[in-house]
Amino acid sequence: MTQLPQMDISIAELEHAAAPGWRGADEERLGAWLLRAADGFTGRANSALAAGDPGLPIPVAAERVQAWYDDRDLPAMIAVPYPTGRPDASELDGLLAERGWAVRSRPATVMTAQSAVVATRAAAASGGVRVRFDDAPDEGWLARYHFRGQALPPMAIRLLTSAPWQAFASIRAQGEVIAIGRVAAAAGWAGLTAIEVHPEHRRRGLGLAVTAALVASAADHGVGNVYLQVEDGNRGACALYRGLGFADHHGYHYRVAPARV
């Protein structure tokens, strides 16, 4: 299936549109950059979003970022977006590398699509599985969500419900939650996160059914565009989403400051 063309929105614009969908508990602006902290839960909520002009020379801005995270006893980390597959195209990334900021593992690609296209394609392939929606995650949903295989801290619920609007999808069988997902909308864009299927129920199209329901929910909410993030090594997920109408928009990784002496 032919991949749809990339959407006409800049990297910085999309990153700032997505930021309210997963907010840090503590946030502060540094020019156009957004500093975020949330007790260390998730990289996105505990990194400085370097999209746009910080209003300072980059070395000075990097020092400000490091001091801000030092004050919160967190490692200083900057989310660096770049054209797909080309971190070398980011001047910021090169400057941070020169100053010893190391790349954290698991770079990712941000993919975008039109809600109507994805909803139509996914619904046709999902087999009519019943998906339940709730305004907040219940115990069953939270028990199924395992961020990078770790137990959820108390901060998790605050982040999961931090968007202007969000909804939580689940598929249940015999009283057990076997698949979940989250959709959150802000600034005309809806982001898909936390799509997870019980290991014993995989390869049955449940992830596809959840994706279809999430995007349809966004469309019903009046949101015409969707995005998601996929780790670069997850080829199966990338192929699935491209088949649903998603296109690569840009990549990003995290740069972590060297330990202070």
Side-chain angles (χ1 to χ4, degrees):
M1 186 175 291
T2 302
Q3 181 177 330
L4 296 178
Q6 184 188 79
M7 287 193 172
D8 187 19
I9 181 173
S10 73
I11 292 176
E13 288 171 337
L14 181 55
E15 284 289 340
H16 281 295
W22 190 264
R23 295 190 59 190
D26 182 7
E27 294 185 342
E28 185 175 322
R29 290 282 179 180
L30 181 63
W33 289 14
L34 178 62
L35 283 58
R36 306 167 290 191
D39 294 344
F41 178 67
T42 77
R44 182 168 289 267
N46 292 274
S47 60
L49 172 59
D53 184 359
L56 297 167
I58 295 300
V60 178
E63 285 292 332
R64 292 281 185 90
V65 169
Q66 190 159 7
W68 195 84
Y69 285 99
D70 283 348
D71 289 344
R72 289 154 180 80
D73 294 323
L74 291 170
M77 190 159 60
I78 295 179
V80 182
Y82 47 78
T84 304
R86 294 195 56 206
D88 59 299
S90 168
E91 180 181 2
L92 168 64
D93 197 61
L95 289 169
L96 292 177
E98 290 176 1
R99 297 178 65 84
W101 289 60
V103 174
R104 198 180 82 162
S105 61
R106 299 179 175 178
T109 296
V110 177
M111 307 179 77
T112 58
Q114 295 177 349
S115 302
V117 171
V118 178
T120 299
R121 291 185 182 181
S126 61
V129 177
R130 183 178 182 275
V131 179
R132 166 177 157 176
F133 272 94
D134 295 287
D135 293 333
D138 63 8
E139 291 184 5
W141 196 101
L142 292 170
R144 177 56 41 216
Y145 177 44
H146 297 94
F147 176 75
R148 299 193 189 281
Q150 304 171 14
L152 296 183
M155 179 61 71
I157 295 178
R158 180 169 178 176
L159 264 65
L160 286 164
T161 56
S162 62
W165 172 82
Q166 57 266 306
F168 299 85
S170 61
I171 298 174
R172 304 177 185 232
Q174 298 179 339
E176 181 183 13
V177 176
I178 59 175
I180 60 169
R182 172 184 179 267
V183 60
W189 284 82
L192 309 186
T193 55
I195 298 175
E196 185 172 340
V197 178
H198 189 295
E200 296 179 4
H201 295 272
R202 291 174 182 166
R203 303 188 184 280
R204 292 174 45 194
L206 300 184
L208 184 59
V210 167
T211 300
L214 293 173
V215 177
S217 178
D220 290 344
H221 199 69
V223 183
N225 302 307
V226 291
Y227 66 89
L228 48 78
Q229 299 100 21
V230 184
E231 290 184 1
D232 287 353
N234 194 342
R235 295 182 180 178
C238 288
L240 169 67
Y241 293 130
R242 285 174 185 141
L244 293 177
F246 282 90
D248 297 354
H249 188 274
H250 68 276
Y252 73 92
H253 60 209
Y254 296 107
R255 285 278 182 182
V256 182
R260 292 190 186 273
V261 178

